[in-house]
Amino acid sequence: MSAETETTAAAAAPAKPVIPHGKLILTAACLGLFMSFIEVTSAISTLRALQVDMNIAPADLSWVSSTYTLVVAACVLSGGALGERYGRRRVFVIGVVTLAVGSLVVATAGTFPQVLVGRAVSGIGGALVLPTSLAIITTTFFVDLPRMLRYITVWVSVSGIGLAVGPLLGGALLDAFAWQAVYLVNTPVAVVTVAVTLYAVSESKVPDRPLDLRGQFLSVLGLGTLVYGIATGGRAGYDDPVVLTSLVVAAVSLFALVRVERQVAVPMLDVRMMGSIRVSATLLVAASALFTFVGVVFLEVLFLQRVQNVSALSTGVRLLPAMVFFVLSTLVAQKVSGKIGPGRLLAAGSLIASVAAVLLIRQEPDSSYLVTAVGLALVGLGSGFVVAPSTAAAFAVVQPAQMGSASNAVTAFRQVGSVLATAVLGAVLAVRFVGALPRTLADNHVPPQIATAVVDVARSGSSGSGRPSPPGVTDAIASGFTAGIHTGLWVVAGVSFAAALLAAVFLARKTPSA
Protein backbone atom coordinates (compact mmCIF):
# COMPACT_ATOMS: atom_id res chain seq x y z
CA MET A 1 0.00 0.00 0.00
CA SER A 2 1.38 3.43 -0.96
CA ALA A 3 1.94 6.22 1.52
CA GLU A 4 -0.80 8.24 -0.20
CA THR A 5 -3.29 5.38 0.18
CA GLU A 6 -2.37 4.93 3.84
CA THR A 7 -2.86 8.63 4.47
CA THR A 8 -6.25 8.57 2.76
CA ALA A 9 -7.35 5.51 4.78
CA ALA A 10 -6.26 7.14 8.01
CA ALA A 11 -8.16 10.29 7.14
CA ALA A 12 -11.27 8.25 6.36
CA ALA A 13 -11.16 6.43 9.73
CA PRO A 14 -13.65 7.84 12.23
CA ALA A 15 -12.06 10.15 14.77
CA LYS A 16 -12.06 8.97 18.35
CA PRO A 17 -14.52 11.05 20.42
CA VAL A 18 -12.83 13.54 22.71
CA ILE A 19 -14.32 13.44 26.22
CA PRO A 20 -12.80 16.01 28.59
CA HIS A 21 -11.64 14.81 32.02
CA GLY A 22 -12.43 11.16 31.20
CA LYS A 23 -10.22 9.67 33.89
CA LEU A 24 -11.42 12.14 36.50
CA ILE A 25 -15.02 11.21 35.68
CA LEU A 26 -14.14 7.55 36.19
CA THR A 27 -12.35 8.42 39.43
CA ALA A 28 -15.40 10.23 40.80
CA ALA A 29 -17.73 7.35 39.94
CA CYS A 30 -15.35 4.79 41.46
CA LEU A 31 -14.85 6.79 44.66
CA GLY A 32 -18.60 6.98 45.17
CA LEU A 33 -18.92 3.24 44.57
CA PHE A 34 -16.03 2.57 46.98
CA MET A 35 -17.83 4.58 49.67
CA SER A 36 -21.03 2.61 49.25
CA PHE A 37 -19.40 -0.84 49.33
CA ILE A 38 -16.94 -0.19 52.15
CA GLU A 39 -20.00 0.52 54.30
CA VAL A 40 -21.03 -3.13 53.94
CA THR A 41 -17.99 -4.92 55.36
CA SER A 42 -16.30 -2.25 57.47
CA ALA A 43 -19.38 -2.20 59.69
CA ILE A 44 -19.08 -5.95 60.27
CA SER A 45 -15.62 -5.42 61.78
CA THR A 46 -17.09 -3.08 64.42
CA LEU A 47 -19.83 -5.42 65.66
CA ARG A 48 -17.89 -6.91 68.56
CA ALA A 49 -16.71 -3.49 69.81
CA LEU A 50 -20.20 -2.02 69.46
CA GLN A 51 -21.71 -4.92 71.39
CA VAL A 52 -19.35 -4.37 74.32
CA ASP A 53 -19.64 -0.56 74.28
CA MET A 54 -23.44 -0.38 74.09
CA ASN A 55 -24.38 -3.75 75.63
CA ILE A 56 -26.30 -4.79 72.51
CA ALA A 57 -27.96 -8.21 72.41
CA PRO A 58 -26.59 -10.51 69.68
CA ALA A 59 -30.05 -10.77 68.10
CA ASP A 60 -30.12 -7.01 67.60
CA LEU A 61 -26.48 -6.66 66.56
CA SER A 62 -27.07 -7.91 63.02
CA TRP A 63 -29.18 -4.83 62.30
CA VAL A 64 -26.03 -2.68 62.33
CA SER A 65 -25.09 -4.19 58.97
CA SER A 66 -28.58 -5.18 57.81
CA THR A 67 -30.13 -1.71 58.18
CA TYR A 68 -27.78 -0.22 55.61
CA THR A 69 -28.23 -2.98 53.05
CA LEU A 70 -32.00 -3.11 53.60
CA VAL A 71 -32.41 0.61 52.87
CA VAL A 72 -30.10 0.42 49.84
CA ALA A 73 -32.04 -2.51 48.38
CA ALA A 74 -35.37 -0.84 49.00
CA CYS A 75 -34.42 2.51 47.47
CA VAL A 76 -31.88 1.71 44.73
CA LEU A 77 -34.44 1.71 41.91
CA SER A 78 -35.76 5.08 43.05
CA GLY A 79 -32.19 6.41 43.08
CA GLY A 80 -31.78 5.64 39.40
CA ALA A 81 -35.12 7.23 38.50
CA LEU A 82 -34.36 10.38 40.50
CA GLY A 83 -30.99 10.68 38.78
CA GLU A 84 -32.56 10.58 35.34
CA ARG A 85 -35.22 13.15 36.27
CA TYR A 86 -33.25 15.69 38.32
CA GLY A 87 -29.70 15.13 37.08
CA ARG A 88 -27.30 12.26 37.55
CA ARG A 89 -24.45 14.46 38.80
CA ARG A 90 -26.71 16.29 41.26
CA VAL A 91 -28.22 13.11 42.72
CA PHE A 92 -24.79 11.47 42.85
CA VAL A 93 -23.34 14.37 44.86
CA ILE A 94 -26.36 14.38 47.19
CA GLY A 95 -25.88 10.64 47.68
CA VAL A 96 -22.17 11.01 48.49
CA VAL A 97 -22.89 13.72 51.06
CA THR A 98 -25.73 11.66 52.56
CA LEU A 99 -23.46 8.64 52.89
CA ALA A 100 -20.91 10.70 54.80
CA VAL A 101 -23.55 12.35 57.00
CA GLY A 102 -24.96 8.93 57.94
CA SER A 103 -21.50 7.71 58.91
CA LEU A 104 -20.97 10.81 61.05
CA VAL A 105 -24.28 10.14 62.82
CA VAL A 106 -23.05 6.63 63.69
CA ALA A 107 -19.62 7.89 64.78
CA THR A 108 -21.20 10.35 67.22
CA ALA A 109 -23.93 7.96 68.41
CA GLY A 110 -24.44 7.48 72.13
CA THR A 111 -27.26 4.96 71.83
CA PHE A 112 -28.05 1.93 69.69
CA PRO A 113 -31.14 3.52 68.04
CA GLN A 114 -28.95 6.44 66.91
CA VAL A 115 -26.54 3.94 65.33
CA LEU A 116 -29.42 2.43 63.35
CA VAL A 117 -30.65 5.88 62.27
CA GLY A 118 -27.18 6.70 60.96
CA ARG A 119 -26.98 3.41 59.09
CA ALA A 120 -30.37 4.09 57.49
CA VAL A 121 -29.25 7.57 56.40
CA SER A 122 -26.12 6.04 54.86
CA GLY A 123 -28.35 3.51 53.11
CA ILE A 124 -30.30 6.31 51.44
CA GLY A 125 -27.01 7.78 50.26
CA GLY A 126 -25.85 4.42 48.95
CA ALA A 127 -29.10 3.97 47.04
CA LEU A 128 -28.52 7.32 45.30
CA VAL A 129 -24.82 6.70 44.57
CA LEU A 130 -24.93 3.15 43.20
CA PRO A 131 -27.16 3.66 40.13
CA THR A 132 -25.98 7.18 39.32
CA SER A 133 -22.27 6.29 39.47
CA LEU A 134 -22.77 3.67 36.76
CA ALA A 135 -25.14 5.90 34.81
CA ILE A 136 -22.54 8.70 34.76
CA ILE A 137 -20.10 6.32 33.07
CA THR A 138 -22.58 4.92 30.55
CA THR A 139 -24.06 8.27 29.53
CA THR A 140 -20.68 10.01 29.30
CA PHE A 141 -18.82 7.32 27.35
CA PHE A 142 -21.64 5.81 25.28
CA VAL A 143 -20.15 7.43 22.16
CA ASP A 144 -16.94 5.44 22.75
CA LEU A 145 -18.21 1.91 23.43
CA PRO A 146 -14.82 0.14 23.95
CA ARG A 147 -13.78 2.80 26.44
CA MET A 148 -17.15 2.57 28.20
CA LEU A 149 -16.79 -1.19 28.62
CA ARG A 150 -13.23 -0.79 29.96
CA TYR A 151 -14.39 1.78 32.46
CA ILE A 152 -17.31 -0.38 33.54
CA THR A 153 -14.79 -3.15 34.23
CA VAL A 154 -12.72 -0.80 36.41
CA TRP A 155 -15.90 0.41 38.15
CA VAL A 156 -16.92 -3.17 38.92
CA SER A 157 -13.48 -4.05 40.30
CA VAL A 158 -13.76 -1.18 42.77
CA SER A 159 -16.78 -2.87 44.36
CA GLY A 160 -14.57 -5.84 45.22
CA ILE A 161 -11.88 -3.52 46.58
CA GLY A 162 -14.44 -1.79 48.81
CA LEU A 163 -15.81 -5.09 50.12
CA ALA A 164 -12.41 -6.58 50.88
CA VAL A 165 -10.70 -3.39 52.13
CA GLY A 166 -13.54 -2.78 54.60
CA PRO A 167 -12.46 -5.40 57.17
CA LEU A 168 -8.76 -4.58 56.64
CA LEU A 169 -9.20 -0.84 57.14
CA GLY A 170 -11.74 -1.36 59.91
CA GLY A 171 -9.39 -3.73 61.72
CA ALA A 172 -6.46 -1.34 61.47
CA LEU A 173 -8.51 1.56 62.84
CA LEU A 174 -9.94 -0.61 65.63
CA ASP A 175 -6.42 -1.61 66.66
CA ALA A 176 -5.29 2.02 66.78
CA PHE A 177 -8.47 3.85 67.84
CA ALA A 178 -12.05 3.18 68.95
CA TRP A 179 -14.84 1.78 66.74
CA GLN A 180 -16.04 5.32 65.95
CA ALA A 181 -12.97 5.88 63.77
CA VAL A 182 -14.19 3.26 61.29
CA TYR A 183 -17.23 5.39 60.50
CA LEU A 184 -15.13 8.52 59.89
CA VAL A 185 -13.35 7.02 56.85
CA ASN A 186 -15.98 8.15 54.36
CA THR A 187 -15.80 11.81 55.39
CA PRO A 188 -12.50 12.72 53.66
CA VAL A 189 -13.36 10.42 50.76
CA ALA A 190 -16.66 12.28 50.34
CA VAL A 191 -14.90 15.66 50.24
CA VAL A 192 -12.58 14.48 47.46
CA THR A 193 -15.41 12.80 45.55
CA VAL A 194 -17.63 15.87 45.59
CA ALA A 195 -14.76 18.13 44.49
CA VAL A 196 -13.77 15.87 41.59
CA THR A 197 -17.40 15.40 40.53
CA LEU A 198 -18.22 19.11 40.47
CA TYR A 199 -15.04 19.83 38.50
CA ALA A 200 -15.09 17.01 35.93
CA VAL A 201 -18.60 15.58 35.54
CA SER A 202 -21.13 17.30 33.30
CA GLU A 203 -24.79 17.19 34.24
CA SER A 204 -27.08 14.87 32.31
CA LYS A 205 -30.78 14.29 32.84
CA VAL A 206 -34.13 13.66 31.24
CA PRO A 207 -36.13 16.56 32.73
CA ASP A 208 -39.50 15.47 31.37
CA ARG A 209 -39.11 11.88 32.63
CA PRO A 210 -42.11 10.90 34.79
CA LEU A 211 -41.19 9.84 38.32
CA ASP A 212 -43.37 6.70 38.31
CA LEU A 213 -44.37 7.24 41.94
CA ARG A 214 -46.44 4.05 42.07
CA GLY A 215 -43.48 2.00 40.91
CA GLN A 216 -41.14 3.67 43.41
CA PHE A 217 -43.54 3.07 46.29
CA LEU A 218 -44.05 -0.58 45.39
CA SER A 219 -40.32 -1.24 44.93
CA VAL A 220 -39.45 0.32 48.30
CA LEU A 221 -42.27 -1.57 50.02
CA GLY A 222 -41.63 -4.88 48.27
CA LEU A 223 -37.83 -5.03 48.55
CA GLY A 224 -37.82 -3.59 52.07
CA THR A 225 -40.34 -6.05 53.47
CA LEU A 226 -38.68 -8.96 51.63
CA VAL A 227 -35.25 -8.30 53.16
CA TYR A 228 -36.80 -7.55 56.57
CA GLY A 229 -38.82 -10.77 56.53
CA ILE A 230 -35.87 -12.93 55.52
CA ALA A 231 -33.48 -11.37 58.05
CA THR A 232 -35.95 -11.36 60.95
CA GLY A 233 -37.19 -14.87 60.20
CA GLY A 234 -33.76 -16.29 60.94
CA ARG A 235 -34.08 -15.07 64.52
CA ALA A 236 -37.80 -15.11 65.25
CA GLY A 237 -38.75 -18.07 63.06
CA TYR A 238 -40.65 -18.05 59.78
CA ASP A 239 -43.92 -18.91 61.54
CA ASP A 240 -43.78 -15.60 63.41
CA PRO A 241 -46.85 -13.47 62.46
CA VAL A 242 -44.77 -10.35 61.80
CA VAL A 243 -42.37 -12.28 59.56
CA LEU A 244 -45.21 -13.98 57.66
CA THR A 245 -46.99 -10.66 57.19
CA SER A 246 -43.80 -9.05 55.94
CA LEU A 247 -43.17 -11.79 53.37
CA VAL A 248 -46.78 -11.72 52.15
CA VAL A 249 -46.63 -7.93 51.76
CA ALA A 250 -43.37 -8.34 49.84
CA ALA A 251 -44.84 -10.92 47.45
CA VAL A 252 -47.95 -8.85 46.77
CA SER A 253 -45.97 -5.62 46.35
CA LEU A 254 -43.43 -7.11 43.94
CA PHE A 255 -46.19 -8.75 41.88
CA ALA A 256 -48.00 -5.40 41.73
CA LEU A 257 -44.71 -3.70 40.77
CA VAL A 258 -44.38 -5.93 37.71
CA ARG A 259 -47.99 -5.19 36.71
CA VAL A 260 -47.54 -1.44 37.14
CA GLU A 261 -44.21 -1.32 35.30
CA ARG A 262 -45.75 -3.14 32.32
CA GLN A 263 -48.47 -0.49 32.04
CA VAL A 264 -46.68 2.84 32.49
CA ALA A 265 -45.23 4.57 29.44
CA VAL A 266 -41.86 5.37 31.07
CA PRO A 267 -41.24 2.73 33.75
CA MET A 268 -38.69 3.01 36.52
CA LEU A 269 -37.78 -0.64 35.84
CA ASP A 270 -38.36 -1.78 32.28
CA VAL A 271 -39.75 -5.27 32.92
CA ARG A 272 -40.66 -5.57 29.24
CA MET A 273 -36.95 -5.55 28.50
CA MET A 274 -36.69 -8.61 30.74
CA GLY A 275 -39.00 -10.51 28.42
CA SER A 276 -35.79 -11.50 26.65
CA ILE A 277 -34.48 -14.68 28.29
CA ARG A 278 -30.92 -13.53 27.65
CA VAL A 279 -31.46 -10.24 29.47
CA SER A 280 -33.18 -11.97 32.40
CA ALA A 281 -30.51 -14.66 32.58
CA THR A 282 -27.73 -12.07 32.53
CA LEU A 283 -29.31 -10.09 35.35
CA LEU A 284 -29.83 -13.20 37.49
CA VAL A 285 -26.26 -14.37 36.95
CA ALA A 286 -24.97 -10.88 37.84
CA ALA A 287 -27.02 -10.94 41.05
CA SER A 288 -25.67 -14.40 41.92
CA ALA A 289 -22.06 -13.20 41.54
CA LEU A 290 -22.40 -10.52 44.19
CA PHE A 291 -24.54 -12.84 46.33
CA THR A 292 -21.59 -15.23 46.28
CA PHE A 293 -18.81 -12.70 46.81
CA VAL A 294 -20.54 -10.68 49.53
CA GLY A 295 -21.90 -13.85 51.12
CA VAL A 296 -18.51 -15.52 51.38
CA VAL A 297 -16.86 -12.36 52.76
CA PHE A 298 -19.72 -12.03 55.29
CA LEU A 299 -19.45 -15.66 56.43
CA GLU A 300 -15.64 -15.63 56.55
CA VAL A 301 -15.52 -12.50 58.70
CA LEU A 302 -17.86 -14.19 61.18
CA PHE A 303 -15.94 -17.49 61.04
CA LEU A 304 -12.51 -15.92 61.56
CA GLN A 305 -13.62 -13.59 64.34
CA ARG A 306 -16.23 -15.67 66.17
CA VAL A 307 -14.83 -19.19 65.73
CA GLN A 308 -11.07 -18.80 65.31
CA ASN A 309 -10.91 -15.64 67.48
CA VAL A 310 -8.83 -13.74 64.94
CA SER A 311 -8.48 -9.99 65.51
CA ALA A 312 -10.26 -7.50 63.27
CA LEU A 313 -7.01 -6.44 61.59
CA SER A 314 -5.86 -10.02 61.01
CA THR A 315 -9.28 -10.84 59.59
CA GLY A 316 -8.88 -8.09 57.01
CA VAL A 317 -5.42 -9.35 56.07
CA ARG A 318 -6.69 -12.92 55.69
CA LEU A 319 -9.43 -11.74 53.31
CA LEU A 320 -6.88 -10.22 50.92
CA PRO A 321 -6.79 -13.24 48.53
CA ALA A 322 -10.47 -12.63 47.70
CA MET A 323 -9.85 -8.94 46.95
CA VAL A 324 -6.67 -9.48 44.93
CA PHE A 325 -8.10 -12.20 42.72
CA PHE A 326 -11.42 -10.39 42.30
CA VAL A 327 -9.65 -7.27 41.04
CA LEU A 328 -7.28 -9.22 38.78
CA SER A 329 -10.04 -11.31 37.23
CA THR A 330 -12.25 -8.28 36.55
CA LEU A 331 -9.35 -6.54 34.80
CA VAL A 332 -8.66 -9.47 32.46
CA ALA A 333 -12.28 -10.58 32.07
CA GLN A 334 -12.93 -8.45 28.98
CA LYS A 335 -9.95 -9.96 27.13
CA VAL A 336 -10.89 -13.52 28.16
CA SER A 337 -14.50 -12.87 27.22
CA GLY A 338 -13.40 -11.79 23.74
CA LYS A 339 -11.65 -15.12 23.24
CA ILE A 340 -14.17 -17.63 24.60
CA GLY A 341 -17.38 -15.57 24.61
CA PRO A 342 -19.09 -13.83 27.55
CA GLY A 343 -21.63 -16.60 28.14
CA ARG A 344 -18.95 -19.27 28.55
CA LEU A 345 -16.98 -17.01 30.86
CA LEU A 346 -20.08 -16.39 33.00
CA ALA A 347 -20.65 -20.14 33.24
CA ALA A 348 -17.00 -20.87 34.06
CA GLY A 349 -16.77 -18.09 36.65
CA SER A 350 -19.95 -19.22 38.42
CA LEU A 351 -18.69 -22.82 38.46
CA ILE A 352 -15.33 -21.76 39.94
CA ALA A 353 -17.13 -19.81 42.67
CA SER A 354 -19.32 -22.82 43.44
CA VAL A 355 -16.29 -25.10 43.77
CA ALA A 356 -14.63 -22.49 46.01
CA ALA A 357 -17.61 -22.43 48.38
CA VAL A 358 -17.51 -26.22 48.65
CA LEU A 359 -13.78 -26.05 49.41
CA LEU A 360 -14.39 -23.54 52.21
CA ILE A 361 -16.78 -26.00 53.85
CA ARG A 362 -13.65 -27.96 54.84
CA GLN A 363 -12.86 -25.22 57.38
CA GLU A 364 -13.01 -26.25 61.03
CA PRO A 365 -12.27 -24.29 64.23
CA ASP A 366 -8.72 -25.66 64.30
CA SER A 367 -8.04 -25.84 60.54
CA SER A 368 -5.08 -24.08 58.94
CA TYR A 369 -5.35 -20.87 56.95
CA LEU A 370 -4.30 -22.61 53.72
CA VAL A 371 -7.81 -23.93 53.00
CA THR A 372 -9.29 -20.50 53.68
CA ALA A 373 -6.75 -18.71 51.47
CA VAL A 374 -7.26 -21.02 48.48
CA GLY A 375 -11.04 -20.90 48.82
CA LEU A 376 -11.09 -17.10 49.04
CA ALA A 377 -8.78 -16.75 46.05
CA LEU A 378 -11.07 -18.98 43.95
CA VAL A 379 -14.17 -17.08 45.08
CA GLY A 380 -12.56 -13.80 44.03
CA LEU A 381 -11.45 -15.29 40.72
CA GLY A 382 -14.84 -16.77 39.86
CA SER A 383 -16.88 -13.76 41.00
CA GLY A 384 -14.68 -11.35 39.06
CA PHE A 385 -15.12 -13.43 35.91
CA VAL A 386 -18.89 -13.03 36.29
CA VAL A 387 -19.53 -9.49 37.55
CA ALA A 388 -17.71 -7.48 34.89
CA PRO A 389 -18.81 -9.50 31.80
CA SER A 390 -22.41 -9.69 33.00
CA THR A 391 -22.58 -5.92 33.38
CA ALA A 392 -21.26 -5.40 29.86
CA ALA A 393 -23.44 -8.23 28.50
CA ALA A 394 -26.60 -6.55 29.78
CA PHE A 395 -25.79 -3.43 27.76
CA ALA A 396 -24.92 -5.51 24.71
CA VAL A 397 -28.35 -7.16 24.46
CA VAL A 398 -30.55 -4.05 24.80
CA GLN A 399 -31.38 -1.23 22.42
CA PRO A 400 -29.55 2.12 22.82
CA ALA A 401 -32.78 3.71 24.07
CA GLN A 402 -32.87 1.17 26.90
CA MET A 403 -29.39 1.95 28.21
CA GLY A 404 -30.72 3.95 31.16
CA SER A 405 -33.18 1.22 32.10
CA ALA A 406 -30.50 -1.44 31.70
CA SER A 407 -28.16 0.57 33.93
CA ASN A 408 -30.81 0.76 36.66
CA ALA A 409 -31.68 -2.93 36.29
CA VAL A 410 -28.05 -4.12 36.46
CA THR A 411 -27.36 -2.00 39.53
CA ALA A 412 -30.60 -3.08 41.21
CA PHE A 413 -30.05 -6.80 40.59
CA ARG A 414 -26.43 -6.66 41.73
CA GLN A 415 -27.34 -4.76 44.88
CA VAL A 416 -30.31 -6.98 45.67
CA GLY A 417 -27.97 -9.95 45.25
CA SER A 418 -25.51 -8.50 47.77
CA VAL A 419 -28.29 -7.57 50.20
CA LEU A 420 -29.92 -10.99 50.00
CA ALA A 421 -26.51 -12.51 50.75
CA THR A 422 -26.35 -11.00 54.23
CA ALA A 423 -30.09 -11.46 54.86
CA VAL A 424 -30.41 -15.05 53.62
CA LEU A 425 -27.08 -16.32 54.90
CA GLY A 426 -27.50 -14.57 58.24
CA ALA A 427 -30.88 -16.28 58.62
CA VAL A 428 -29.50 -19.67 57.55
CA LEU A 429 -26.60 -19.30 59.96
CA ALA A 430 -28.88 -18.41 62.88
CA VAL A 431 -31.31 -21.29 62.27
CA ARG A 432 -28.58 -23.90 61.77
CA PHE A 433 -26.57 -22.65 64.78
CA VAL A 434 -29.52 -23.03 67.15
CA GLY A 435 -30.40 -26.40 65.61
CA ALA A 436 -26.85 -27.75 65.98
CA LEU A 437 -26.26 -26.56 69.55
CA PRO A 438 -27.93 -29.47 71.41
CA ARG A 439 -25.72 -31.98 69.57
CA THR A 440 -22.48 -30.00 69.98
CA LEU A 441 -23.20 -29.40 73.68
CA ALA A 442 -23.80 -33.13 74.18
CA ASP A 443 -20.60 -33.96 72.26
CA ASN A 444 -18.68 -31.71 74.64
CA HIS A 445 -20.27 -33.39 77.69
CA VAL A 446 -22.05 -30.27 78.93
CA PRO A 447 -24.56 -31.17 81.69
CA PRO A 448 -28.19 -31.22 80.43
CA GLN A 449 -29.42 -28.37 82.65
CA ILE A 450 -26.60 -26.08 81.47
CA ALA A 451 -27.08 -27.17 77.85
CA THR A 452 -30.78 -26.31 78.03
CA ALA A 453 -29.96 -22.84 79.38
CA VAL A 454 -27.38 -22.22 76.65
CA VAL A 455 -29.82 -23.26 73.91
CA ASP A 456 -32.53 -21.02 75.39
CA VAL A 457 -30.12 -18.05 75.41
CA ALA A 458 -29.11 -18.73 71.79
CA ARG A 459 -32.73 -19.13 70.71
CA SER A 460 -33.82 -15.88 72.38
CA GLY A 461 -30.86 -13.93 71.00
CA SER A 462 -29.98 -12.42 74.38
CA SER A 463 -26.41 -11.77 75.47
CA GLY A 464 -26.46 -14.11 78.44
CA SER A 465 -25.28 -13.43 81.96
CA GLY A 466 -21.79 -12.18 81.04
CA ARG A 467 -20.16 -14.71 83.39
CA PRO A 468 -17.42 -17.05 82.08
CA SER A 469 -18.81 -20.05 80.20
CA PRO A 470 -18.78 -23.46 81.93
CA PRO A 471 -16.29 -26.06 80.62
CA GLY A 472 -17.13 -27.33 77.14
CA VAL A 473 -19.65 -24.60 76.32
CA THR A 474 -17.21 -22.40 74.37
CA ASP A 475 -16.10 -25.31 72.18
CA ALA A 476 -19.71 -26.39 71.67
CA ILE A 477 -20.71 -22.89 70.58
CA ALA A 478 -17.76 -22.74 68.15
CA SER A 479 -18.75 -26.10 66.67
CA GLY A 480 -22.39 -25.06 66.36
CA PHE A 481 -21.41 -21.77 64.74
CA THR A 482 -19.15 -23.65 62.31
CA ALA A 483 -22.09 -25.87 61.36
CA GLY A 484 -24.06 -22.73 60.56
CA ILE A 485 -21.19 -21.37 58.45
CA HIS A 486 -21.01 -24.66 56.55
CA THR A 487 -24.73 -24.59 55.78
CA GLY A 488 -24.44 -21.02 54.55
CA LEU A 489 -21.57 -22.02 52.27
CA TRP A 490 -23.68 -24.87 50.84
CA VAL A 491 -26.32 -22.27 49.97
CA VAL A 492 -23.66 -20.13 48.26
CA ALA A 493 -22.38 -23.17 46.34
CA GLY A 494 -25.92 -24.02 45.20
CA VAL A 495 -26.67 -20.48 44.03
CA SER A 496 -23.41 -20.28 42.07
CA PHE A 497 -23.93 -23.70 40.50
CA ALA A 498 -27.47 -22.73 39.44
CA ALA A 499 -26.03 -19.56 37.87
CA ALA A 500 -23.45 -21.64 36.01
CA LEU A 501 -26.22 -23.82 34.56
CA LEU A 502 -28.27 -20.75 33.64
CA ALA A 503 -25.32 -19.18 31.82
CA ALA A 504 -24.39 -22.44 30.08
CA VAL A 505 -27.92 -23.07 28.80
CA PHE A 506 -29.03 -19.57 27.82
CA LEU A 507 -25.91 -17.43 27.40
CA ALA A 508 -23.08 -19.67 26.20
CA ARG A 509 -24.63 -20.27 22.79
CA LYS A 510 -23.75 -17.85 20.03
CA THR A 511 -26.61 -15.72 18.83
CA PRO A 512 -27.16 -15.00 15.18
CA SER A 513 -25.92 -11.63 14.12
CA ALA A 514 -28.53 -8.95 13.61
Side-chain angles (χ1 to χ4, degrees):
M1 183 182 291
S2 67
E4 183 180 350
T5 305
E6 289 181 0
T7 304
T8 305
K16 213 172 185 182
V18 177
I19 302 172
H21 312 304
K23 291 184 179 178
L24 285 178
I25 294 170
L26 175 65
T27 299
C30 288
L31 285 173
L33 185 72
F34 177 83
M35 289 179 63
S36 64
F37 271 92
I38 201 173
E39 286 281 346
V40 177
T41 50
S42 64
I44 297 174
S45 67
T46 67
L47 295 183
R48 184 178 291 180
L50 267 171
Q51 184 177 16
V52 173
D53 192 24
M54 295 188 176
N55 194 29
I56 304 168
D60 297 326
L61 198 62
S62 62
W63 286 110
V64 176
S65 55
S66 297
T67 297
Y68 173 79
T69 51
L70 189 154
V71 174
V72 170
C75 301
V76 69
L77 288 173
S78 296
L82 292 172
E84 288 193 11
R85 172 68 179 269
Y86 296 110
R88 297 175 180 91
R89 185 181 77 161
R90 176 184 299 171
V91 172
F92 176 77
V93 168
I94 292 173
V96 168
V97 172
T98 306
L99 260 170
V101 168
S103 294
L104 286 173
V105 171
V106 177
T108 57
T111 64
F112 183 53
Q114 188 179 345
V115 170
L116 297 185
V117 169
R119 296 294 287 161
V121 172
S122 292
I124 294 172
L128 297 178
V129 166
L130 279 165
T132 50
S133 62
L134 179 57
I136 284 172
I137 293 174
T138 56
T139 55
T140 303
F141 301 103
F142 177 70
V143 294
D144 187 353
L145 188 59
R147 189 179 185 186
M148 184 188 79
L149 294 177
R150 287 198 310 273
Y151 281 6
I152 289 174
T153 298
V154 175
W155 180 86
V156 168
S157 69
V158 169
S159 64
I161 295 174
L163 288 171
V165 164
L168 180 64
L169 187 58
L173 291 171
L174 279 169
D175 272 12
F177 308 102
W179 63 264
Q180 289 89 343
V182 177
Y183 293 94
L184 295 175
V185 170
N186 268 341
T187 302
V189 180
V191 172
V192 174
T193 305
V194 170
V196 174
T197 302
L198 294 178
Y199 173 75
V201 179
S202 300
E203 188 61 279
S204 63
K205 59 182 175 179
V206 186
D208 57 348
R209 186 197 195 283
L211 278 179
D212 186 15
L213 294 177
R214 286 190 301 165
Q216 292 195 47
F217 172 76
L218 289 170
S219 70
V220 170
L221 181 63
L223 292 173
T225 51
L226 175 65
V227 174
Y228 177 83
I230 292 173
T232 306
R235 181 182 76 246
Y238 289 98
D239 56 350
D240 181 83
V242 174
V243 172
L244 287 173
T245 301
S246 178
L247 294 176
V248 169
V249 170
V252 172
S253 301
L254 293 175
F255 176 78
L257 174 65
V258 173
R259 293 286 302 271
V260 167
E261 297 302 278
R262 284 185 177 276
Q263 295 170 0
V264 296
V266 185
M268 174 184 62
L269 179 65
D270 191 352
V271 295
R272 288 166 292 197
M273 173 184 68
M274 298 176 200
S276 163
I277 188 64
R278 292 178 61 80
V279 173
S280 296
T282 301
L283 294 175
L284 289 173
V285 172
S288 76
L290 272 195
F291 179 95
T292 297
F293 191 78
V294 173
V296 168
V297 170
F298 172 72
L299 291 174
E300 287 303 309
V301 167
L302 294 176
F303 176 77
L304 292 169
Q305 292 191 352
R306 305 290 180 87
V307 177
Q308 294 193 330
N309 293 313
V310 175
S311 70
L313 177 57
S314 295
T315 296
V317 172
R318 294 185 182 208
L319 290 174
L320 283 176
M323 178 191 75
V324 171
F325 278 85
F326 182 89
V327 172
L328 290 177
S329 59
T330 55
L331 293 177
V332 303
Q334 188 175 353
K335 183 177 293 186
V336 177
S337 175
K339 292 182 177 179
I340 69 173
R344 292 177 181 175
L345 184 57
L346 297 182
S350 297
L351 186 60
I352 292 171
S354 180
V355 170
V358 173
L359 177 62
L360 288 170
I361 294 170
R362 294 174 58 100
Q363 294 175 122
E364 296 294 341
D366 58 351
S367 61
S368 72
Y369 174 63
L370 179 61
V371 173
T372 303
V374 174
L376 288 173
L378 289 175
V379 164
L381 181 71
S383 300
F385 277 154
V386 175
V387 175
S390 62
T391 304
F395 292 121
V397 295
V398 299
Q399 299 298 321
Q402 295 175 309
M403 288 290 290
S405 297
S407 171
N408 292 343
V410 169
T411 306
F413 271 73
R414 292 174 69 247
Q415 187 60 26
V416 169
S418 66
V419 171
L420 287 179
T422 55
V424 171
L425 298 176
V428 168
L429 172 59
V431 171
R432 179 67 179 122
F433 169 58
V434 172
L437 261 184
R439 175 183 58 79
T440 60
L441 288 164
D443 291 344
N444 283 273
H445 310 293
V446 176
Q449 64 272 24
I450 296 178
T452 300
V454 171
V455 172
D456 288 342
V457 168
R459 191 170 283 129
S460 67
S462 64
S463 56
S465 64
R467 295 192 297 268
S469 299
V473 170
T474 300
D475 290 342
I477 290 173
S479 297
F481 207 83
T482 301
I485 296 288
H486 288 172
T487 304
L489 288 169
W490 276 119
V491 172
V492 171
V495 169
S496 293
F497 186 72
L501 289 177
L502 194 64
V505 172
F506 295 109
L507 302 175
R509 295 172 301 172
K510 291 185 178 180
T511 55
S513 57

